[in-house]
Amino acid sequence: AGLPLLALPFSTDQFAGAEDLRGGGLGDAAVPCVASATEIAGRLTALLEGPAANMAAALGRDLRSANGAERVADAVERVGAGVALIR
C-alpha cells in the first residue's frame, strides 16, 4: 500500500521485524502493553508526516511496477541459495 507501519510486537520474531522496519526507515515500534493511546497517535502522526511516508510510498510504487509474484519467487530462491536480499 506504500504506507509506513507502526508495529506493536508482543512475541518471538515480531520484535526483530519491528526493528527491521525502524532500521529501514519504513516504520516504528511501540510496546503494546505499555504504550498509551496518546503515544500511539503521536507515533502514527510522526510516521505519516515524516520521511517514512515518502520512503514507504516510493517502495510501494517500486513494488507495484514490477511483477510481484516473480520478484517474490526470485527472493525465495536467493534466500535458499544463501544470497543476500539487499541490492
Side-chain angles (χ1 to χ4, degrees):
L3 295 170
L5 298 174
L6 176 62
L8 300 168
F10 65 91
S11 180
T12 61
D13 62 337
Q14 294 174 0
F15 296 100
E19 280 306 311
D20 287 345
L21 284 170
R22 189 187 332 229
L26 295 168
D28 195 6
V31 180
C33 60
V34 177
S36 67
T38 301
E39 177 186 354
I40 291 171
R43 286 177 183 265
L44 287 171
T45 299
L47 284 172
L48 293 172
E49 294 177 352
N54 291 330
M55 290 180 67
L59 178 60
R61 284 190 301 274
D62 180 51
L63 292 173
R64 285 187 301 276
S65 72
N67 181 339
E70 184 177 324
R71 286 181 78 167
V72 169
D74 289 345
V76 170
E77 288 176 358
R78 285 194 305 273
V79 169
V83 178
L85 292 177
I86 307 290
R87 9 176 199 155

